[in-house]
């Protein structure tokens, strides 16, 4: 079981709900940080909330969703210690963990279907970081920025 913080703006609300349900059904502990409807809100607020939950250890991992996944990833990445990756499929999910040790998975509701996002999230959670060598050195460089 992994403790996972989820959050979205209005443009990612439906996909966030689907992913949160999927995670709960898989036995994970999910903390929903909002938004709680499709009413217009600002994606930076929710990207930062997810990032802070991961950075402060309240959550082991984060999932953030907006219309494209881009803005909410940018917001989450402003939090020190967060490595948020925009994920489009199982390959980008696997590589974001293996090579970049991503701790927040970001999705775009307008770009990725629910089933593709669920499959990618499953792979993301199951994939370990390839510690050592060039990947570890590069993640350390990211952490020092």
């Amino acid at each position: 079981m992994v403790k996972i913080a989820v959050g979205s703006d209005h443009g990612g609300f439906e996909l966030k709900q689907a992913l949160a349900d999927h995670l709960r059904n898989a036995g994970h502990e999910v903390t929903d940080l909002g938004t709680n409807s499709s009413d217009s809100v600002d994606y930076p607020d929710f990207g930062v909330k997810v990032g802070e939950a991961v950075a402060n250890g309240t959550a082991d991992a984060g999932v953030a969703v907006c219309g494209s996944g881009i803005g909410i990833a940018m917001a989450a990445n402003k939090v020190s210690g967060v490595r948020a990756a925009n994920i489009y499929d199982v390959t980008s999910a696997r590589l974001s963990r293996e090579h970049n040790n991503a701790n927040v998975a970001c999705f775009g509701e307008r770009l990725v279907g629910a089933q593709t996002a669920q499959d990618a999230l499953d792979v993301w959670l199951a994939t370990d970081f390839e510690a050592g060598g060039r990947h570890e050195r590069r993640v350390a460089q990211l952490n020092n920025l």
Side-chain angles (χ1 to χ4, degrees), residues 14 47 67:
E14 294 297 329

Side-chain angles (χ1 to χ4, degrees), residues 33-93:
L33 301 174
T35 192
N36 299 313
S37 75
S38 58
D39 294 340
S40 183
V41 294
D42 299 325
Y43 63 82
D45 296 335
F46 298 94
V48 167
K49 284 182 183 184
V50 171
E52 288 175 341
V54 172
N56 70 26
T58 304
D60 302 316
V63 174
V65 188
C66 68
S68 67
I70 298 167
I72 207 158
M74 290 177 173
N77 276 318
K78 292 291 186 175
V79 178
S80 181
V82 170
R83 292 173 306 281
N86 214 348
I87 295 176
Y88 300 99
D89 54 22
V90 295
T91 301
S92 58

Side-chain angles (χ1 to χ4, degrees), residues 71-119:
I72 207 158
M74 290 177 173
N77 276 318
K78 292 291 186 175
V79 178
S80 181
V82 170
R83 292 173 306 281
N86 214 348
I87 295 176
Y88 300 99
D89 54 22
V90 295
T91 301
S92 58
R94 181 180 52 78
L95 291 172
S96 76
R97 291 286 304 133
E98 283 180 353
H99 293 192
N100 311 111
N101 202 15
N103 52 15
V104 176
C106 299
F107 295 93
E109 182 174 314
R110 296 178 188 134
L111 303 177
V112 179
Q115 187 62 58
T116 298
Q118 289 171 4
D119 293 344

